[in-house]
Amino acid sequence: SLRTESVTLRQIVREVCAEEAVSDLAVLRAQMHDKNEEIGQLHNENDDLAASISGLDAKIEDLSEQLSRLQALNRSLQAQNFNLSTTLSHKDVTFDKLKKYLHKGPPSRCQSSSPLASIPEVSTNAAHKFGFLNRSSQSISRRRSIRPWKRRLAVLDNNNLSIFKVETVESLIPINSIIDIQSDSKRSYGKHVIVVQTDDNKEHFLQANSEEDMKEWIHMLESLNCSD
């Protein structure tokens, strides 16, 4: 009888323990399922974060390229500004200096050794037009390549087209010596080029800053040449 009860008790204990183990296992499986879902969600969030980081890297690379281009442009602009400042400091003639010249005449050329000593005085009449032009020339008879372009100030009055190097007269073209004025329509020598032929068998090439500026120079030269 006691053995039977002992066996029965053991069976009951085993059954209870088995039920508790099954219950605990079910709870553990449920917890594991929840954890797996959390891990999957974290993986998804990690993938989204990686995609965002990749997008940011692409934007950073694009911004770096834009910054490099802007820095290169800035260096180019600084170089151009320096060159412009240098050019203006050496070659620019202010309105005050020009007015002073037109009222008082050109600088003295008393030295007989100067190659400009034999050039007639530039007229002090009011200028009809003045401005910077690129200048070159050649002899018609030789028809060789034109000389290198030089940036010069041109002043046109009633009698002469005066070409200045800073404040010194470099060349003087009397209006009454001009026998032909035309634009270089074929652009043989570049854009906006005026070809002035004089009676000393020379061609003077004047390159204006724009098409409109070229036409204005031609108009003024033709007007003065016809009225001479």
Side-chain angles (χ1 to χ4, degrees):
S1 170
L2 289 173
R3 288 180 180 179
T4 302
E5 290 178 359
S6 177
V7 171
T8 303
L9 183 59
R10 287 177 182 176
Q11 288 178 349
I12 292 172
V13 171
R14 288 175 182 174
E15 290 175 0
V16 170
C17 288
E19 289 177 359
E20 289 179 355
V22 170
S23 177
D24 290 342
L25 182 59
V27 171
L28 288 174
R29 286 178 176 174
Q31 291 176 351
M32 184 178 293
H33 181 268
D34 293 340
K35 292 297 181 183
N36 286 335
E37 288 186 349
E38 291 179 2
I39 291 172
Q41 185 176 358
L42 288 174
H43 279 307
N44 292 335
E45 292 177 355
N46 184 63
D47 291 340
D48 293 340
L49 183 59
S52 299
I53 292 174
S54 178
L56 288 174
D57 287 340
K59 289 182 179 179
I60 290 173
E61 185 177 356
D62 183 54
L63 289 173
S64 297
E65 291 179 357
Q66 292 183 23
L67 178 60
S68 297
R69 289 195 294 268
L70 288 174
Q71 288 174 340
L73 178 61
N74 182 53
R75 289 192 295 270
S76 176
L77 290 174
Q78 287 179 344
Q80 292 179 24
N81 183 58
F82 175 79
N83 292 336
L84 180 61
S85 299
T86 304
T87 301
L88 291 177
S89 65
H90 287 83
K91 296 185 177 181
D92 189 22
V93 177
T94 63
F95 287 102
D96 290 338
K97 289 182 179 179
L98 182 60
K99 290 177 180 178
K100 181 179 178 181
Y101 172 82
L102 292 176
H103 282 86
K104 295 185 178 181
S108 175
R109 297 192 296 272
C110 298
Q111 298 178 356
S112 59
S113 59
S114 170
L116 301 175
S118 61
I119 296 178
E121 291 292 323
V122 176
S123 172
T124 57
N125 294 331
H128 293 281
K129 183 172 176 60
F130 61 89
F132 283 99
L133 297 171
N134 292 326
R135 174 185 175 271
S136 184
S137 64
Q138 74 172 359
S139 173
I140 297 176
S141 59
R142 294 182 182 180
R143 286 294 181 184
R144 61 185 180 182
S145 299
I146 66 173
R147 297 168 184 170
W149 293 102
K150 295 180 181 180
R151 192 70 168 167
R152 294 293 184 258
L153 175 70
V155 179
L156 178 64
D157 60 29
N158 286 334
N159 299 318
N160 301 295
L161 173 60
S162 306
I163 308 297
F164 291 85
K165 181 180 180 181
V166 189
E167 294 184 35
T168 304
V169 179
E170 181 182 68
S171 178
L172 188 141
I173 304 174
I175 297 299
N176 57 13
S177 72
I178 297 175
I179 59 177
D180 187 39
I181 304 167
Q182 58 182 318
S183 64
D184 179 23
S185 57
K186 295 183 180 180
R187 294 187 177 181
S188 303
Y189 307 103
K191 294 182 179 179
H192 322 312
V193 175
I194 307 166
V195 183
V196 179
Q197 183 176 341
T198 52
D199 55 11
D200 57 354
N201 207 34
K202 287 185 179 180
E203 283 182 329
H204 303 267
F205 302 94
L206 306 172
Q207 187 176 44
N209 298 315
S210 65
E211 187 77 13
E212 182 179 356
D213 190 35
M214 178 191 73
K215 291 179 179 178
E216 187 174 348
W217 276 106
I218 291 176
H219 172 71
M220 296 302 300
L221 284 166
E222 288 179 340
S223 298
L224 292 171
N225 192 43
C226 290
S227 62
D228 184 65

